[in-house]
Amino acid sequence: MHSLPANNQHSSLTTALTTCFRREMIVAFRHKGELANPLIFFLMVVVFIPLGISPEKTVLMALAPGMIWVIALLATLLSLDGLFRSDFDDGSLEQMLLSPQPLPWLVLTKILAHWLMTGIPLMLLTPLLGTMLYLPAEGYLPLMISLLIGTGSMSLIGSIGAALTVGLRKGGLILSLVVMPLYVPVLIFGASAVNEAVQGFAYTGQIAILSAMFVSALVLAPFAVAGALRISVNT
Amino acid sequence: MHSLPANNQHSSLTTALTTCFRREMIVAFRHKGELANPLIFFLMVVVFIPLGISPEKTVLMALAPGMIWVIALLATLLSLDGLFRSDFDDGSLEQMLLSPQPLPWLVLTKILAHWLMTGIPLMLLTPLLGTMLYLPAEGYLPLMISLLIGTGSMSLIGSIGAALTVGLRKGGLILSLVVMPLYVPVLIFGASAVNEAVQGFAYTGQIAILSAMFVSALVLAPFAVAGALRISVNT
Amino acid sequence: MLQLNGFTCVRDGEPLFVPLDTVINAGDVVQIAGPNGAGKTTLLRSLCGLFDSCEGEILWRGKPIVGAKHDFLMQLLYLGHHPGVKKSLTARENLAWFAGVNGETGSLDVESALAKVGLAGYADIPCHQMSAGQHRRVGLARLHFDASPLWVLDEPFTAIDKQGVERLEAKIQEHAAMGGTVILTTHQALSLSHYRTIELVKYTEAFHEVRHA
Amino acid sequence: MLQLNGFTCVRDGEPLFVPLDTVINAGDVVQIAGPNGAGKTTLLRSLCGLFDSCEGEILWRGKPIVGAKHDFLMQLLYLGHHPGVKKSLTARENLAWFAGVNGETGSLDVESALAKVGLAGYADIPCHQMSAGQHRRVGLARLHFDASPLWVLDEPFTAIDKQGVERLEAKIQEHAAMGGTVILTTHQALSLSHYRTIELVKYTEAFHEVRHA
Amino acid sequence: MASWQWFHRLGSPKWFYEKTTRWTQVIGWLALAMLSVGIIWGLGFAPAELKQGNSYRIIYIHVPAAAVAMAGYYVMAFSGAVGLIWRMKLSYMVMKCAAPIGAALTFAALFTGAVWGKPTWGDYWVWDARITSMLILFFLYLGVMALQEAYQNQEAADKTCAILSLVGMVNIPIIYKSVDWWFTLHQPATLKLTEKSSIAPEMAYPLILMIFAVYMFFAWLLLTKVRVEILHREVKTQWVKDIVMGVK
Ligand code: HEM
Ligand SMILES: Nc1ncnc2c1ncn2[C@@H]1O[C@H](COP(=O)(O)OP(=O)(O)OP(=O)(O)O)[C@@H](O)[C@H]1O
Ligand SMILES: Nc1ncnc2c1ncn2[C@@H]1O[C@H](COP(=O)(O)OP(=O)(O)OP(=O)(O)O)[C@@H](O)[C@H]1O
Ligand SMILES: [Mg+2]
Ligand SMILES: [Mg+2]
């Protein structure tokens, strides 16, 4: 009586993914103010730099590419902590694990939503930050491209850390610790793409490497996350 | 039968404060790994700066004082999110509010513990970071003194933000937003104490102002926190 | 001891239940009853001052609670849906904190309090290694050393097994017999010999009070 | 349907309870009983594959579950201590997610499912504005539209009022009558006409099973 | 006590709503008139500046916006304080409504300043003390707004925002002083915004008019927003139902 016919298995996967994705978006948009938070964090740190170091144009110009990349990285990192935490606390993570749908796919919808909610807005905000830090005009395009691809990798890689630490009480900082070393290559190539461009060199090489990292993260991370979640729930 | 004689009211306040403080310390030390987290965050960001910006000594030297201060600020901020969150979730915050002891005092023990657990270790770590960023020798003492006092103010001011946002789901980033503008004066005076010292000027003025800010925060913050907690619980 | 005059809790501008007029004396056990969402938890929290969007007044020993806050809190023990037991601490550490924060200065016999709630031998186990019921029992252990006469218990029987429920009922009865007061909610049938039920009625319906035994 | 062969859960290297050997068939209602800390929650989680430090084996339709994971999960509905209801979503959004994630593709009658758990009119209220019992009822509403035959319910009666308990018991009975299987834990007395109790016994004691009705 | 009676009545949203119906209209028309006169005068008739030509005319928006932005914060913090002390609902509504208006004005000042900066300084942005403290003011506003948004429970939102804006108000002088100090420390004052440039009276009069006009506009916007907020929060009361029915 109860079992579903096998032929709608495909359509049920699509349904599951769209419902999951829609849920993430609803949760995010329910608190509209929160959507802006990573952005505001981004902006605030950009304000701290001149306050703490120096407001001079020549100094800031030199810092701009690397600094914006480092701050984007931190903003992504901070927003990652909540990725699975609330699902873990209220039991919906268990329900996801018990879904007949493949877990890596479900996880991917969450990561996608996270990227749309943090990476994209961060990227869109960079022109403003660039202006405030006197980024040379040639830097804007490579900065935005590298951030677009780079934040994708960072959401993917970071979600592994979020999954590994979801069972711990004070995830926040331990998460940073786990994830940061993995972010190093992304940061190096991202920042250097911008630096090269500012100095008038080609930066396609860096972008190519960033893309390659993104693709491998896209293929591997969902499985790692799924595995990590199964372990975290198993207590 | 049940009521306590009035004359041991004073001793019961002392007991309450020591038990509260001891509890904070036990919780912190139970997960020894977590104690190191702000430090590791601190260290990691110091590693990111050369990677993202430039590994050259002249560049880093100029950045060092301001950069270390900005990172210390971020590390404090990140560690603040959990200050009241877990107490809120498990109901012990309610129990604190229902204690016959004055709430601002109880709150103060929590803030004190937070400062001992983050501010002090951060301060102790600065010689290492200074070395890594080529901080000139004259900068070490003012850096440590200003961080010692400054992290105290930051714990106090930040706890207001933590109390205001404890009832929210995703406190983390909104907390940053609320607290960051309030950190501006601390950052300016802290960083400039070090910058002045590096350039060979006196920095006692800055330290005096930092101390004044600390004292006013010490007097006012516990009341603001107590008020904010009462409101957050009231749902 | 506690007197409610036309007291009701307000959410979204509407009273939740028909205003209560009642006096709760020393030695009373009062069950606040009503279906899910009637406002039991809200009422208990208001009594303790944790929720303040209310109408009417509560008098504590003849005075409004606001004026006698410290005195009132000295006499109060509240156990809510979340009992305030920290998971990373052991049962002993949790109880020591409860005692300290409530102003008990004497030494504390944790073992015996835990033994009385069936957790003998669990004193030094972190609470996150306990089952749902054991976790709640740690909170209940407070009843065995706290000297407060007024107990406000929100669903104290949640997750507690049959034997545990019997013991808890016995403890409640003993407390009342010694002149204490207990206000509690539960959806389970109580097997106490003396208690009163106050039924919360939706604001639009009529108010009634049932006295047992 | 589900067959346990010498099955027990292990914590800290020790089995929690005397190994179970039992067969649970279509149409069975099985109550897992035992005092607090006996291992009921752990057992239910192991059945679902959420806890895997176990001894013995579980066969699902004659095959170990590991081999028939997808098939098994298609047929399973698990409601744990935390029911997976997200507080910032409304009841409707929560139920839509449950349905979607469990692979239901058809349209969903949320109103009627909610009405059946006594939450008529609450479909569009965010769950954080609900009382403890209402919150759990949202999770229970799943029982009214999910087609899975195997229900694993960990203390489903927690925080539910008397009328709600009666309705839930009726639903369980109906499900069993239609050939479904229910495995549940509870510390309250069940008033079902047909059910079996499996008593978990500490590893050192003897094992027994009681059959009612 | 008679002197307190008006105060308590002021706390009643219904009383406030009814009393301000006329006032809002008057202030609205006044603001409109002043704004149009000021803008036409400033943009059309005031003489061009010697060095900057016509681009200086942005001052007629920039300076009034900057001036009122600051006042907006004090209105917000003050009404938050009144709300906390006298538990006055209306006061919270004023606080809530002042935040977005103040933030918008701050943004307008920043934006016009940035647009102005490009022709005069060659950069859109300069880390000048005035500008930086304006930016921080903007963040303070955003913090209050984000908190207001994040709480679903209106009461909690009101009270937490009141505390935050009070804490912010204590800090504003400190922030301003420290930022001033930071600026003078780091960078010789190449550009002085603070010193009254010897501005010709023909340029000054429309500017003064515009400052008053923007104050008026602020008042009108605040009143209107508060009135909408009152209707929103009191939907369940009979008098609001009557109004809504009457309007339809
Ligand atoms: C984003 C950039 C800017 C910001 C945030 C900003 C902010 C301010 C503020 C807060 C005031 C004070 C208003 C008052 O006290 O009543 C002000 C006044 C003024 N600003 Fe700007 N400003 C910016 C850019 C500029 C630029 C580029 C210029 C032109 C070169 C400029 C020229 C003036 C003048 C002439 C005044 C009036 C001077 C006075 O009355 O003290 N500002 N601005
Ligand atoms: N995370 C954990 N780590 C270690 N031990 C645990 C953990 N959770 C529970 N235990 C132990 O395992 C045993 C079984 O716990 P379980 O939660 O399964 O009990 P239960 O029968 O569901 O009890 P209850 O009726 O209280 O819900 C308990 O003795 C408990 O102390
Ligand atoms: N945070 C909240 N915001 C708005 N309304 C709420 C909130 N919490 C509860 N309510 C509403 O207030 C009413 C009373 O809730 P309360 O928790 O007091 O009920 P209860 O009697 O304790 O129910 P239960 O038996 O389920 O615990 C419910 O109708 C609920 O929907
Ligand atoms: Mg309740
Ligand atoms: Mg259990």
Side-chain angles (χ1 to χ4, degrees), chain E residues 33-46 57 206 210:
Chain E
M34 288 167 80
L35 278 177
S36 4
V37 172
I39 285 183
I40 293 170
W41 190 356
L43 298 190
F45 294 97
R57 291 183 198 279
M210 276 304 284

Side-chain angles (χ1 to χ4, degrees), chain C residues 35-42 44 81 154-155 185 187, chain D residues 130-134 159:
Chain C
N36 289 138
K40 303 179 292 298
T41 299
T42 313
L44 296 195
H81 276 302
D154 199 359
E155 308 213 16
T185 68
H187 294 295
Chain D
M130 293 184 179
S131 77
Q134 290 168 336

Side-chain angles (χ1 to χ4, degrees), chain B residues 235, chain C residues 11-12 16-17 32-45 51 81 154-155 185 187 200 202, chain D residues 122 125-137 159-161, chain E residues 153:
Chain B
T235 46
Chain C
R11 282 212 190 261
D12 300 326
L16 280 178
F17 44 85
I32 310 289
N36 289 138
K40 303 179 292 298
T41 299
T42 313
L43 172 61
L44 296 195
R45 290 175 66 88
F51 182 84
H81 276 302
D154 199 359
E155 308 213 16
T185 68
H187 294 295
L200 298 187
K202 274 236 180 79
Chain D
Y122 280 81
I125 288 184
C127 293
H128 69 87
Q129 286 184 16
M130 293 184 179
S131 77
Q134 290 168 336
H135 190 254
R136 287 204 58 98
R137 280 162 185 257
I160 303 293
D161 62 23
Chain E
N153 180 327

Side-chain angles (χ1 to χ4, degrees), chain E residues 29-184:
Chain E
W29 286 114
L30 215 64
L32 187 66
M34 288 167 80
L35 278 177
S36 4
V37 172
I39 285 183
I40 293 170
W41 190 356
L43 298 190
F45 294 97
E49 221 256 338
L50 275 182
K51 270 182 280 173
Q52 300 186 24
N54 279 326
S55 76
Y56 92 96
R57 291 183 198 279
I58 237 174
I59 200 174
Y60 296 115
I61 301 173
H62 173 73
V63 172
V68 182
M70 189 70 180
Y73 195 91
Y74 289 114
V75 169
M76 179 178 83
F78 180 74
S79 39
V82 172
L84 277 183
I85 297 168
W86 287 290
R87 294 166 170 255
M88 202 185 269
K89 268 204 261 172
L90 181 66
S91 196
Y92 286 131
M93 297 187 209
V94 174
M95 176 192 70
K96 179 181 176 182
C97 296
I101 307 177
L105 284 171
T106 317
F107 182 78
L110 287 170
F111 188 80
T112 52
V115 170
W116 198 2
K118 188 69 182 173
T120 39
W121 301 336
D123 280 307
Y124 286 108
W125 188 263
V126 170
W127 291 99
D128 160 88
R130 202 52 128 14
I131 297 177
T132 307
S133 48
M134 205 67 188
L135 184 62
I136 294 168
L137 180 69
F138 185 56
F139 286 129
L140 282 169
Y141 273 125
L142 287 187
V144 174
M145 285 165 65
L147 204 58
Q148 181 69 252
E149 178 74 36
Y151 274 98
Q152 274 124 338
N153 180 327
Q154 190 55 55
E155 242 185 280
D158 286 342
K159 290 180 183 167
T160 47
C161 286
I163 291 186
L164 180 61
S165 42
L166 273 179
V167 172
M169 191 161 78
V170 172
N171 268 275
I172 277 190
I174 303 177
I175 294 175
Y176 271 55
K177 269 257 93 56
S178 60
V179 171
D180 257 340
W181 197 76
W182 156 77
F183 179 66
T184 47

Side-chain angles (χ1 to χ4, degrees), chain A residues 167-221:
Chain A
L168 306 171
R169 269 181 331 112
K170 276 194 195 169
L173 280 166
I174 223 173
L175 169 69
S176 312
L177 180 56
V178 169
V179 169
M180 276 182 160
L182 303 176
Y183 279 3
V184 168
V186 182
L187 174 68
I188 288 178
F189 287 103
S192 93
V194 189
N195 279 320
E196 296 287 279
V198 168
Q199 286 159 35
F201 300 117
Y203 54 88
T204 37
Q206 283 85 338
I207 299 291
I209 297 178
L210 279 180
S211 311
M213 286 197 285
F214 173 72
V215 172
S216 13
L218 187 64
V219 174
L220 298 178

Side-chain angles (χ1 to χ4, degrees), chain C residues 44-194:
Chain C
L44 296 195
R45 290 175 66 88
S46 320
L47 290 182
C48 301
L50 292 173
F51 182 84
D52 62 8
S53 162
C54 306
E55 276 168 17
E57 60 173 3
I58 313 181
L59 301 180
W60 166 250
R61 302 205 163 131
K63 281 184 288 184
I65 287 184
V66 185
K69 194 93 192 176
H70 180 264
D71 178 46
F72 176 70
L73 292 179
M74 287 293 281
Q75 322 264 314
L76 172 74
L77 186 159
Y78 170 73
L79 261 179
H81 276 302
H82 296 282
V85 175
K86 189 154 297 288
K87 288 201 167 178
S88 53
L89 296 180
T90 64
R92 183 193 306 282
E93 289 157 352
N94 269 304
L95 294 184
W97 180 74
F98 280 129
V101 123
N102 284 301
E104 323 267 313
T105 46
S107 71
L108 182 65
D109 191 352
V110 171
E111 319 288 352
S112 89
L114 284 176
K116 282 179 196 149
V117 292
L119 285 181
Y122 280 82
D124 295 310
I125 289 185
C127 292
H128 67 86
Q129 287 183 15
M130 293 185 179
S131 76
Q134 291 167 336
H135 189 256
R136 286 203 60 97
R137 281 163 185 257
V138 176
L140 292 174
R142 290 175 64 192
L143 303 180
H144 293 276
F145 63 79
D146 197 299
S148 310
L150 175 61
W151 291 358
V152 176
L153 313 174
D154 199 359
E155 308 213 16
F157 304 118
T158 299
I160 303 294
D161 63 22
K162 282 202 196 76
Q163 204 200 350
V165 171
E166 278 163 26
R167 288 206 216 181
L168 184 52
E169 287 183 331
K171 181 68 195 168
I172 287 171
Q173 209 137 28
E174 182 195 317
H175 183 66
M178 285 173 61
T181 307
V182 182
I183 304 175
L184 81 167
T185 68
T186 177
H187 294 295
Q188 287 173 247
L190 282 174
S191 59
L192 298 172
S193 56
H194 291 275

Side-chain angles (χ1 to χ4, degrees), chain A residues 1-44:
Chain A
M1 67 168 216
H2 281 295
S3 67
L4 287 160
N7 61 355
N8 71 8
Q9 204 159 307
H10 177 69
S11 94
S12 75
L13 176 59
T14 334
T15 322
L17 297 185
T18 50
T19 7
C20 273
F21 183 70
R22 192 179 308 132
R23 178 169 105 133
E24 294 303 311
M25 296 311 246
I26 296 175
V27 171
F29 276 97
R30 181 111 327 153
H31 308 262
K32 284 176 224 93
E34 280 174 13
L35 277 178
N37 281 339
L39 305 183
I40 290 160
F41 174 81
F42 207 178
L43 254 170
M44 288 285 338

